[in-house]
């Protein structure tokens, strides 16, 4: 491995493992809370949406634009279904869905060309506005906070990536690659 090129395993894999654990725990916890508070099968819809949007977020590396669009469409659809169902379903998005969507939007903003990144950002804002159409709630507040983080961190990481590419790194010495004399 040439240390000037960086590690062979991208640090993003560790992020994805951590994200998968957090999303899985969030899905299980939310499903349990829905089972104990709503009862019946009301928990199934939100759990299914969370699982699908979370899976899409974990597969974002290859198809940034497609996965971001899929996450936006799935979440917007879930919000619409929960609004139509009224009191029969919990309000969407569930916390894991909101987190997965914010990861998709932030990642797309970070890596897509400017036009695509702007379109995904606008889509993220539009879906977030849809959360609020049902009224003031903790669910909408948490989802808005997650989306705000994505809309701030995506461009910041984009700028940092651009600066890192513009600044050449010097090779680092290691025991595996001692300095050449």
């Amino acid at each position: 491995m040439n240390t000037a090129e960086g590690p062979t395993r991208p640090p993003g894999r560790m992020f994805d493992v951590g994200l998968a654990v957090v999303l899985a725990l969030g899905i299980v916890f939310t499903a349990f809370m829905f089972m104990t508070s709503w009862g019946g099968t009301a928990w199934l819809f939100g759990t299914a949406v969370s699982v699908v949007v979370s899976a899409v977020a974990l597969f974002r590396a290859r198809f940034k634009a497609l996965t971001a669009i899929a996450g936006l469409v799935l979440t917007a659809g879930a919000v619409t279904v929960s609004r139509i169902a009224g009191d029969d379903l919990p309000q969407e998005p569930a916390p894991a869905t909101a987190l997965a969507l914010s990861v998709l939007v932030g990642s797309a903003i970070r890596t897509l060309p400017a036009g695509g990144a702007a379109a995904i950002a606008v889509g993220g804002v539009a879906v977030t506005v849809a959360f609020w159409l049902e009224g003031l709630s903790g669910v909408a507040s948490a989802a808005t906070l997650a989306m705000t983080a994505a809309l701030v961190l995506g461009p910041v990481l984009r700028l940092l990536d651009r600066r890192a590419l513009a600044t050449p790194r010097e090779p680092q010495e290691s025991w595996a690659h001692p300095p050449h004399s």
Side-chain angles (χ1 to χ4, degrees):
M1 171 178 98
N2 182 354
T3 55
E5 295 173 9
T8 56
R9 275 196 237 170
R13 286 189 187 171
M14 288 307 295
F15 176 82
D16 285 345
V17 168
L19 178 64
V21 168
V22 169
L23 290 171
L25 291 173
I27 290 167
V28 169
F29 178 74
T30 304
F32 174 75
M33 296 305 289
F34 284 158
M35 283 182 211
T36 58
S37 63
W38 284 72
T41 59
W43 61 276
L44 285 173
F45 177 72
T47 301
V49 171
S50 291
V51 167
V52 172
V53 176
S54 295
V56 169
L58 293 172
F59 289 109
R60 74 192 179 285
R62 287 192 174 191
F63 308 104
K64 296 281 188 191
L66 184 61
T67 54
I69 292 167
L72 288 166
V73 168
L74 288 166
T75 305
V79 170
T80 303
V81 168
S82 72
R83 287 196 64 213
I84 291 169
D87 291 337
D88 293 334
L89 288 176
Q91 184 182 6
E92 286 294 328
T97 305
L99 175 61
L101 181 63
S102 67
V103 167
L104 286 166
V105 170
S107 179
I109 292 170
R110 178 182 185 181
T111 58
L112 291 178
I120 297 297
V122 168
V125 169
V127 171
T128 303
V129 168
F131 304 158
W132 288 96
L133 294 178
E134 199 162 321
L136 181 64
S137 72
V139 171
S141 298
T144 301
L145 182 62
M147 187 57 65
T148 301
L151 295 172
V152 170
L153 289 175
V156 167
L157 292 173
R158 181 184 187 103
L159 179 64
L160 291 175
D161 288 348
R162 193 171 284 169
R163 284 189 181 168
L165 289 174
T167 307
R169 293 178 8 184
E170 294 184 27
Q172 297 178 358
E173 298 174 10
S174 72
W175 64 272
H177 300 287
H180 299 288
S181 305

